[in-house]
Amino acid sequence: MSSSDAICEKIHDAHGPRWERGGICVACVLEMMDRSDVSAVRKRAALVSVMRVPAVREFLYREEEGRINFISSLLRTLFSAVDSSLLDQTAQVLLQVTLDIPSQALLLFILDQIHSRWSDVGGLKASLSSVMFLGKLLDAHPALSQTLTSSRSRVLECVCAALLLSDEDVKAGVCYVLLRIWSSASAVQMLTDTLRQRMCVLLLHTLSNTHTTALTVNCLGVVKQMCQYSEVVCVLMNLKDGAEDPLPYQPLPLILKKLLLSAQDSLQVVSVRCVCAVLIHAPQRFTAAFIQADLPEFLLEVMSSGCTDVLLWSVFSCLLLLSEDPLFFSQCHAVYGMEPLVRCLKETLGKSNTEVQKQGLELLSAILDRQPAAVRLFPTASEFTGVCDVIVEGVATSCLQVSMCAVRAAAILLRPNHQSSPVQFSDVRRVVEAVMSKCREISSGSESVSAAGVLLQTLTCFDAACRNASLNQICCDFLMKLCMCLISNTDTWNQEDIQDVQHVLQESLPSLCCSVSDWPSLLPDIPQSLRNTQFCIIHLLHLSLLHGDRCLCDSAVFSCVLRFIVCVQDQCDDALPACVLSSVLYLLSVNQHAGPPLDMVSVSVVSKALSSCPAVFSHALPLSALSLIFQYPELSERFGAPALTGRLSRGPEEERELLELLHTHPAALLNMLGVACDAETAVCQSAVGVLRSFLCSVDGVSISRTTDLSDHIRSALMSVLQRHTHTDGLSVLLDVLSVIQSHSSSQMTHTDFKLLYHVSNLVGKMDSSDSELLLSGFNCLYCFLCVCPSHATDRVASLLLGNVRLLELLEEVLSSSSSSSSSLHCSSLLLLSSLVLLQHKHHAQVQKSIRVDLHQILRRLAFNKRETDALLLVCSVRFVQVCLDVDESALVCVCDAALERPLQTADGALHPLGHSGTASLVTALSALMLQKQDLLVSAALNCLTSLMEFLCRRTPESVQHMVVHQPWTRFLLFSLLSCDGSLRPAALQLLTLLVRFSGSVSLWKSEVESVCEEVERRGVTDLSKHTLSMMLTQCCAVAPPDDLRMRMNALLESLQPLPPSDASNRHMLRVGRVSVCLSDLKPGAQDF
């Protein structure tokens, strides 16, 4: 395609060069579209050129008048052209224009132009090209559907009127437009009742008089979409025979029945799905109309004629809905349809489409279930044998879901009202044996757990079959084997229990001659001599519920089991067997949601049953049974610990489920602590492991806010600490105490002081080699210090500083270069930092100084950052910061060989860092501030602040040449300001420090202006508002230039009012097993 196709020589000379873009004359294109002497081929070529050159489209879109002229020209071509290729290209260009210019006004203009053309008395009616274009326009702009049903409903009225034209291609295009409308829920809501009624009549009229398949399919597609709305279904179904109306039409049921008679599979599928779409809304209301129209007869005819799987599935689904109406059976459709249904199922089961097989067997089950007992479906033996063949084949299939459907059908088929005369015992036996064979197969296979739901249907099937006495024993034998197989595949019962259950089932199953619905009456009312029958029912209910089947409703099971316990306690003083009591607990716990919580009497009944059978706790009670125990304080206080002990005895695989229990029931946590504290218990280690995992996932606030729980845990821990019992669980108990203290209130009670005293004494008796226990002890003491209110810190400091062994342990850990625990080093540094600050604050007496190699810590920060854990770096920086803040400390004695010889003047002034140590620290802190971890950056900024204050106190001039005027400092600030494309709090804090210690903005004017510009342009996050306010306040305090000061004051005013700062709140963060006080690491207002 050459550019000459878009230039018309006859008129081109009148156009200036300003109209040319990419070798195309835009003016020629515009004029060619309206000239009759230009061929359709030439016009199409010009439009193709326009689409290929973006510069041309940009020129056309530049001015609104040019856009309107171009679109109007295209619309005239769309309505007047005859050449199909030109029409297609015109529609394509129009659509591209609407996509290039996303304007609602432009779309409304196009709709108005279409309406004007369609409604002009002397003009054109809806053409195929214009209707198809409207459909494509709706595809490209789905929201336009709502516009058509609201502000431009007149266009939609013209669209509907086009259904009265004789051209069926146009009608098919109209149906496509209507489908777009009905696919938009918001558009449907805006439709007026009048227009909705009009559409229904027009569609029925069109369906009644159509001659082409395309129109029929399109029209049915609209009807099916309309049937998603119940009010439209009512309108369609209430339109009776309209033969006398100006627009004659047939009722929808007759239309759909007529389409079923067609030989075209596609029409049959759509018509059947339309019936289903209608019936889904209200089967009881609309099924009669379809049944009276003999639709079931035609569906059965379609089924018999051999059809595709898609059609067959639709027919099965439709008949399933129709069978919900008793009229389906009273008109004998079930009787007449059984033979073709059985024949069709035989063919279907020989194929591979399991969805069709399942739907067909569901239909068979529904007909068997709903057929009135007075009318037999199988009057002769051959008919009964035929349906038995189908069921046996369905049960034996490899697909478990299909097999389950067949078992359900078998359970219904074996009812007495379906037996032929005489009863075909051989067929009944054949069905029962097929079900038994399938049960054996799935019980021994890999699908035994997921497939055990077949138990309920098997029981129902046996219940029906055992009315024939000759089958009773074989069914009982198999049922017992099935139950034992299911029991062996679960770990709820031990070997002794399995033997007891087997004995009960073997004795009681043959005499259990009653339906499942009668079981609730047998549990509380039969004499003591038949106790094993009750035990048998309890075990069957347990097994069925355990594998997902509910033989009875939950409320019935719950009430009858509770009455069973009362009955046993009233009749005798003997305890229930442990396996029976375990099943009883399971049934009560799983079904308790069906009724109100247990009252005091019922709780007492359960408590008496548990206390009379301690052996039940040797079982691993299921999680639901544990939940029942911990739901009631009367039960959890007496039986919580033994129940957990029995569960933990199964090993570490129980950890996940027990974690769920601890999160759900706070009382379980208290009992788990008791198990962990018991040194005589073999499961102590398992309890410790569960508690460790719990601490990793728990929100400490949730525990601390439960006041009663916190108090109980404190009391339990106090009891253990007073005994000074060194158990495996002691470490985790201290960790629990740390979590509770970390989120406790700011008040420190007498109990808190007693706990602190005992923890301090306990730590004083520890050995430095026991790193796990020592970590928990240090961590716990640190948490006490962090949450201690200011009025009580002097007492806490005196208590801990008087513990000489504690100070010795801190020195031993920090002096060890090969400690096995990085976490222990972290906790030691944090605890020592807090003690140093408190000693300095209160001038507390120190019994022993701790020797610390400060330069070893500096070397770790300067040279071993890559090999050092991030948290250890944070804690090391925090300790260095504290040392700088207090200058000289009576608690810490800095030991370093380099500092023991006579010092130079520069080193002496900067003791204990020395000149080289200070330079190394500045470099190390600068590098740490470039890291990604927020805690590390905050700690480094804090330490840098303390270092600069330290330098100002010792040698004021050194802060300038060692930090402020260093080129590396400016590079660091530049890196932080340009990081992530946003203002980081760290950058603002560093800039605040530099301005503060420079005493002027002049050195940092460009950076301050850059921050102001960034804030004015993009705003600031809540996280940075306080740091920004501090920076602006600091800058305004050092006499900046007037223009900059006014700019900063304006920003300060825009930040008001600020949300309250949480800098004073001592939030605790748990990193692994180490607790960290965030306020120790984040700069506060006092730092600026």
Side-chain angles (χ1 to χ4, degrees):
M1 188 68 62
S2 64
S3 59
S4 61
D5 295 318
I7 297 178
C8 184
E9 293 79 3
K10 299 178 182 178
I11 56 177
H12 180 63
D13 293 340
H15 307 144
R18 72 184 186 90
W19 290 96
E20 294 189 14
R21 292 291 187 279
I24 297 174
C25 178
V26 179
C28 285
V29 173
L30 291 173
E31 293 189 32
M32 276 196 296
M33 300 309 299
D34 289 326
R35 291 179 67 98
S36 59
D37 58 342
V38 177
S39 68
V41 175
R42 185 75 177 274
K43 290 179 180 180
R44 180 181 179 279
L47 291 177
V48 170
S49 300
V50 170
M51 293 296 294
R52 288 182 175 177
V53 183
V56 174
R57 297 207 303 276
E58 292 177 7
F59 184 83
L60 285 169
Y61 303 158
R62 188 169 56 186
E63 297 179 356
E64 183 176 1
E65 182 179 356
R67 292 199 301 265
I68 297 300
N69 288 337
F70 182 51
I71 292 171
S72 299
S73 176
L74 292 174
L75 286 172
R76 286 192 294 270
T77 303
L78 187 68
F79 279 98
S80 61
V82 177
D83 184 79
S84 59
S85 60
L86 176 59
L87 288 172
D88 291 342
Q89 188 62 41
T90 303
Q92 183 180 348
V93 174
L94 270 172
L95 284 175
Q96 188 61 47
V97 171
T98 64
L99 294 173
D100 290 343
I101 310 172
S103 167
Q104 180 70 8
L106 180 62
L107 294 174
L108 293 178
F109 171 76
I110 292 175
L111 290 180
D112 291 338
Q113 290 296 307
I114 292 176
H115 176 259
S116 175
R117 287 280 179 166
W118 284 353
S119 59
D120 188 3
V121 176
L124 300 168
K125 294 294 183 184
S127 62
L128 178 60
S129 58
S130 59
V131 172
M132 294 303 295
F133 167 70
L134 182 58
K136 294 177 181 178
L137 192 63
L138 292 175
D139 283 338
H141 304 278
L144 199 59
S145 297
Q146 186 175 350
T147 304
L148 279 176
T149 57
S150 54
S151 61
R152 293 301 185 271
S153 59
R154 59 182 182 272
V155 180
L156 189 55
E157 291 172 359
C158 290
V159 172
C160 294
L163 287 174
L164 299 176
L165 298 177
S166 59
D167 190 339
E168 295 207 346
D169 289 338
V170 174
K171 291 181 182 181
V174 169
C175 289
Y176 184 83
V177 173
L178 294 181
L179 185 61
R180 297 297 96 205
I181 298 293
W182 284 97
S183 298
S184 171
S186 57
V188 173
Q189 290 178 355
M190 303 298 294
L191 268 177
T192 63
D193 292 340
T194 303
L195 188 53
R196 185 180 300 164
Q197 177 92 8
R198 176 72 172 166
M199 284 186 187
C200 292
V201 173
L202 286 169
L203 286 168
L204 292 184
H205 168 73
T206 304
L207 279 171
S208 301
N209 299 279
T210 181
H211 298 93
T212 63
T213 302
L215 177 56
T216 305
V217 172
N218 280 19
C219 199
L220 281 176
V222 180
V223 172
K224 181 174 177 293
Q225 190 68 29
M226 293 168 73
C227 287
Q228 292 186 5
Y229 303 91
S230 56
E231 62 275 13
V232 181
V233 171
C234 294
V235 173
L236 286 169
M237 294 301 293
N238 289 331
L239 289 172
K240 306 302 181 184
D241 193 351
E244 305 299 327
D245 287 4
L247 290 176
Y249 60 86
Q250 295 175 335
L252 183 60
L254 292 179
I255 293 174
L256 296 177
K257 184 179 75 170
K258 179 181 69 174
L259 294 174
L260 278 176
L261 296 175
S262 67
Q264 299 187 45
D265 187 77
S266 59
L267 291 181
Q268 291 176 323
V269 170
V270 179
S271 61
V272 174
R273 289 183 176 177
C274 282
V275 177
C276 293
V278 171
L279 294 179
I280 284 172
H281 287 283
Q284 300 300 328
R285 183 175 180 183
F286 300 124
T287 49
F290 288 107
I291 293 174
Q292 289 168 356
D294 293 327
L295 196 70
E297 180 181 346
F298 287 90
L299 290 172
L300 293 169
E301 184 66 29
V302 170
M303 184 195 305
S304 302
S305 61
C307 51
T308 63
D309 287 347
V310 175
L311 178 57
L312 190 57
W313 185 90
S314 302
V315 170
F316 285 156
S317 302
C318 190
L319 286 170
L320 198 56
L321 290 169
L322 289 171
S323 67
E324 296 183 20
D325 195 315
L327 189 62
F328 180 85
F329 298 94
S330 63
Q331 293 195 359
C332 298
H333 290 298
V335 175
Y336 299 139
M338 183 53 64
E339 189 272 333
L341 175 59
V342 170
R343 186 171 64 251
C344 183
L345 279 174
K346 283 184 179 180
E347 297 176 359
T348 302
L349 288 171
K351 300 178 182 178
S352 59
N353 194 321
T354 58
E355 292 301 319
V356 179
Q357 294 169 1
K358 286 191 296 181
Q359 200 72 352
L361 289 169
E362 290 286 354
L363 175 59
L364 177 61
S365 298
I367 292 177
L368 291 172
D369 186 40
R370 298 166 186 167
Q371 174 67 20
V375 181
R376 292 185 178 273
L377 287 173
F378 313 105
T380 66
S382 60
E383 293 171 332
F384 186 80
T385 301
V387 76
C388 287
D389 291 339
V390 168
I391 289 178
V392 168
E393 186 176 355
V395 170
T397 187
S398 59
C399 176
L400 178 61
Q401 294 177 331
V402 175
S403 184
M404 283 289 295
C405 293
V407 172
R408 279 194 292 269
I412 304 172
L413 176 67
L414 295 183
R415 292 175 185 173
N417 61 295
H418 290 312
Q419 304 306 305
S420 61
S421 181
V423 176
Q424 302 299 306
F425 289 105
S426 59
D427 289 328
V428 173
R429 186 184 185 102
R430 192 157 53 95
V431 171
V432 172
E433 289 177 346
V435 174
M436 292 164 58
S437 176
K438 174 56 67 172
C439 288
R440 293 192 190 96
E441 175 188 332
I442 63 176
S443 296
S444 60
S446 59
E447 297 178 304
S448 59
V449 176
S450 62
V454 77
L455 175 60
L456 175 61
Q457 297 304 324
T458 304
L459 290 173
T460 308
C461 181
F462 291 170
D463 178 55
C466 288
R467 297 176 189 275
N468 313 303
S470 60
L471 292 175
N472 186 49
Q473 188 58 48
I474 187 174
C475 290
C476 290
D477 291 342
F478 170 72
L479 184 55
M480 190 193 72
K481 292 178 181 178
L482 173 64
C483 290
M484 299 314 298
C485 182
L486 292 176
I487 289 174
S488 64
N489 284 332
T490 60
D491 50 5
T492 305
W493 290 270
N494 57 36
Q495 190 60 40
E496 182 180 352
D497 293 335
I498 292 176
Q499 293 176 359
D500 292 342
V501 173
Q502 184 175 8
H503 171 73
V504 168
L505 294 178
Q506 203 164 22
E507 177 184 323
S508 303
L509 276 178
S511 60
L512 193 60
C513 297
C514 62
S515 64
V516 175
S517 60
D518 295 329
W519 288 2
S521 63
L522 294 179
L523 282 177
D525 294 338
I526 64 176
Q528 185 176 355
S529 59
L530 298 178
R531 186 72 71 210
N532 274 355
T533 301
Q534 294 176 316
F535 294 169
C536 177
I537 294 175
I538 291 291
H539 290 317
L540 290 177
L541 287 172
H542 183 185
L543 272 174
S544 61
L545 192 57
L546 186 65
H547 293 290
D549 287 327
R550 279 174 161 78
C551 296
L552 298 167
C553 66
D554 293 350
S555 57
V557 173
F558 185 77
S559 60
C560 73
V561 170
L562 200 57
R563 284 187 285 124
F564 164 70
I565 305 176
V566 176
C567 173
V568 172
Q569 293 177 355
D570 289 343
Q571 291 181 355
C572 66
D573 293 329
D574 294 337
L576 288 171
C579 60
V580 176
L581 184 54
S582 177
S583 295
V584 165
L585 286 176
Y586 176 78
L587 292 172
L588 287 177
S589 61
V590 173
N591 294 286
Q592 66 175 331
H593 65 85
L598 296 176
D599 55 24
M600 292 300 296
V601 176
S602 300
V603 172
S604 177
V605 168
V606 176
S607 178
K608 183 178 179 181
L610 290 173
S611 60
S612 65
C613 183
V616 73
F617 299 115
S618 64
H619 293 64
L621 293 178
L623 185 64
S624 57
L626 292 177
S627 297
L628 176 70
I629 291 175
F630 288 111
Q631 185 174 346
Y632 301 97
E634 299 85 349
L635 300 179
S636 63
E637 289 174 5
R638 293 187 61 187
F639 311 111
L644 287 175
T645 300
R647 182 81 183 193
L648 288 166
S649 63
R650 293 167 60 174
E653 65 273 5
E654 296 302 312
E655 182 176 298
R656 183 181 59 82
E657 290 187 346
L658 287 175
L659 283 178
E660 181 183 340
L661 184 73
L662 295 185
H663 284 286
T664 308
H665 297 285
L669 174 59
L670 188 60
N671 281 273
M672 187 67 77
L673 286 169
V675 176
C677 293
D678 191 351
E680 304 301 323
T681 305
V683 296
C684 175
Q685 284 291 341
S686 298
V688 170
V690 172
L691 286 170
R692 288 245 181 262
S693 299
F694 174 74
L695 291 175
C696 293
S697 62
V698 74
D699 176 12
V701 178
S702 61
I703 299 180
S704 300
R705 285 178 179 170
T706 311
T707 307
D708 293 340
L709 175 63
S710 297
D711 292 343
H712 280 99
I713 292 177
R714 283 187 172 94
S715 300
L717 294 175
M718 179 75 74
S719 175
V720 175
L721 293 173
Q722 286 173 341
R723 296 198 308 262
H724 301 300
T725 305
H726 191 292
T727 68
D728 292 332
L730 188 56
S731 175
V732 76
L733 294 183
L734 292 173
D735 287 345
V736 173
L737 181 59
S738 300
V739 171
I740 294 176
Q741 288 300 123
S742 298
H743 299 87
S744 63
S745 63
S746 58
Q747 300 299 322
M748 197 162 188
T749 65
H750 180 63
T751 302
D752 293 322
F753 274 109
K754 289 179 67 177
L755 281 170
L756 177 62
Y757 171 78
H758 287 296
V759 172
S760 176
N761 284 348
L762 180 65
V763 172
K765 298 177 181 180
M766 293 179 185
D767 190 273
S768 59
S769 61
D770 192 348
S771 58
E772 289 293 309
L773 188 56
L774 201 58
L775 169 60
S776 299
F778 284 174
N779 201 45
C780 191
L781 293 176
Y782 173 70
C783 290
F784 271 101
L785 291 178
C786 289
V787 300
C788 181
S790 57
H791 64 80
T793 53
D794 55 341
R795 294 175 58 193
V796 173
S798 298
L799 172 65
L800 297 182
L801 292 174
N803 190 336
V804 176
R805 180 54 185 160
L806 168 64
L807 303 181
E808 290 175 349
L809 286 170
L810 284 172
E811 182 175 282
E812 290 176 22
V813 171
L814 293 176
S815 62
S816 173
S817 58
S818 59
S819 174
S820 59
S821 173
S822 171
S823 297
L824 181 58
H825 251 88
C826 295
S827 188
S828 302
L829 287 169
L830 290 174
L831 177 58
L832 182 56
S833 299
S834 298
L835 289 175
V836 168
L837 285 177
L838 289 179
Q839 189 278 328
H840 180 76
K841 176 181 178 181
H842 299 292
H843 304 288
Q845 184 177 359
V846 176
Q847 302 293 331
K848 170 183 169 52
S849 295
I850 300 176
R851 295 173 60 84
V852 179
D853 190 344
L854 183 62
H855 281 259
Q856 181 185 11
I857 298 177
L858 293 179
R859 285 191 293 272
R860 177 190 303 152
L861 296 177
F863 306 113
N864 299 322
K865 291 188 293 293
R866 294 177 182 269
E867 296 81 18
T868 306
D869 179 72
L871 182 60
L872 183 55
L873 290 176
V874 169
C875 299
S876 301
V877 171
R878 169 64 178 166
F879 178 72
V880 172
Q881 176 205 345
V882 169
C883 291
L884 294 173
D885 286 338
V886 301
D887 271 339
E888 298 290 340
S889 172
L891 179 58
V892 173
C893 175
V894 176
C895 59
D896 183 60
L899 299 179
E900 293 177 356
R901 61 178 179 268
L903 301 178
Q904 300 295 327
T905 303
D907 287 329
L910 298 180
H911 180 79
L913 295 179
H915 187 274
S916 62
T918 302
S920 297
L921 181 59
V922 171
T923 303
L925 293 177
S926 300
L928 292 176
M929 278 186 276
L930 292 176
Q931 303 300 312
K932 297 295 184 182
Q933 296 95 335
D934 289 339
L935 281 182
L936 193 54
V937 174
S938 296
L941 272 167
N942 269 3
C943 191
L944 181 62
T945 304
S946 298
L947 175 61
M948 296 175 78
E949 291 174 343
F950 171 81
L951 293 175
C952 281
R953 292 194 302 270
R954 296 297 182 87
T955 55
E957 68 281 358
S958 63
V959 73
Q960 301 297 322
H961 71 263
M962 296 189 75
V963 181
V964 176
H965 294 292
Q966 280 290 326
W968 174 256
T969 302
R970 188 171 295 276
F971 172 76
L972 173 63
L973 180 60
F974 171 79
S975 300
L976 291 176
L977 285 173
S978 59
C979 182
D980 300 332
S982 60
L983 287 177
R984 293 179 62 188
L988 299 177
Q989 293 161 10
L990 178 60
L991 182 55
T992 305
L993 276 178
L994 295 174
V995 170
R996 171 189 167 189
F997 286 97
S998 299
S1000 170
V1001 182
S1002 57
L1003 279 176
W1004 316 102
K1005 182 179 178 182
S1006 61
E1007 286 80 3
V1008 173
E1009 289 176 341
S1010 174
V1011 169
C1012 292
E1013 181 181 349
E1014 183 71 11
V1015 173
E1016 291 165 348
R1017 183 168 62 90
R1018 302 178 60 176
V1020 65
T1021 63
D1022 289 339
L1023 184 65
S1024 303
K1025 281 186 177 180
H1026 284 281
T1027 51
L1028 176 63
S1029 176
M1030 294 175 193
M1031 189 213 80
L1032 295 173
T1033 303
Q1034 179 66 55
C1035 291
C1036 289
V1038 292
D1042 290 342
D1043 57 339
L1044 184 56
R1045 186 184 68 255
M1046 295 175 60
R1047 190 176 184 182
M1048 291 189 293
N1049 283 332
L1051 288 176
L1052 278 171
E1053 291 177 4
S1054 68
L1055 294 175
Q1056 300 300 329
L1058 283 172
S1061 172
D1062 63 350
S1064 61
N1065 295 334
R1066 302 186 69 79
H1067 297 306
M1068 302 296 293
L1069 175 69
R1070 196 168 176 86
V1071 183
R1073 289 183 57 199
V1074 180
S1075 295
V1076 180
C1077 183
L1078 291 181
S1079 61
D1080 287 347
L1081 304 177
K1082 296 202 171 183
Q1086 68 276 10
D1087 296 323
F1088 299 101

